[in-house]
Amino acid sequence: MKSVDEDSGAPAGDLEVTPVGAGVEIRLGTPAGELSLICTPERARELASALGRAAEEADSLRTADPVTVRADELRRGDVRDGDRAMTVDGVRTDGATVHVTWKSGAGRGWNQLYDADARITLRRRGR
């Protein structure tokens, strides 16, 4: 399979997946050289599943229209609109203040306080 860099249109390289003995070889050709990974069939299935989930999430983020909600309406799994993915990990309302725990795509977590009626624009609603 050949792929193309969507931003530049330049070839991104070749991707080949083949059985090798009792394993699966994933070979990626790039302008800088070739990368080869051999894994068990179980790990190959896990990788395929993870790639599928990531592709579905990327598609949903690209096609979804942003929605704006009040801070006290946030729920776990909501994804904030912006340059970087920030996902709501937890929400606690304390009177007129909402305590939101965010998690980044890199796994960092932090807390922020909002007025309950503060407007937060979301890329996608959590489930």
Side-chain angles (χ1 to χ4, degrees):
M1 166 192 330
K2 289 191 184 279
S3 58
V4 174
D5 182 311
E6 291 181 8
D7 293 330
S8 69
D14 293 327
L15 175 65
E16 294 180 31
V17 180
T18 56
V20 177
V24 175
E25 181 179 26
I26 304 163
R27 193 173 334 148
L28 177 63
T30 69
E34 188 173 276
L35 174 66
S36 177
L37 170 69
I38 297 177
C39 57
T40 65
E42 180 178 299
R43 291 296 269 175
R45 286 185 197 94
E46 289 174 9
L47 176 60
S49 179
L51 286 169
R53 285 191 306 273
E56 285 178 18
E57 184 167 339
D59 281 342
S60 72
L61 293 178
R62 183 175 39 206
T63 59
D65 290 328
V67 61
T68 301
V69 299
R70 290 171 41 113
D72 61 357
E73 296 173 343
L74 287 171
R75 58 185 184 227
R76 184 180 174 93
D78 286 346
V79 178
R80 186 161 188 174
D81 193 31
D83 294 341
R84 297 186 185 136
M86 298 187 323
T87 303
V88 174
D89 196 41
V91 179
R92 182 173 57 88
T93 303
D94 182 17
T97 304
V98 178
H99 303 258
V100 180
T101 303
W102 295 99
K103 193 170 221 176
S104 72
R108 281 190 13 239
W110 66 95
N111 296 313
Q112 281 185 279
L113 301 177
Y114 297 93
D115 289 333
D117 62 353
R119 307 301 285 171
I120 310 291
T121 302
L122 302 175
R123 210 183 270 182
R124 179 173 44 89
R125 289 302 308 228
R127 293 177 181 90

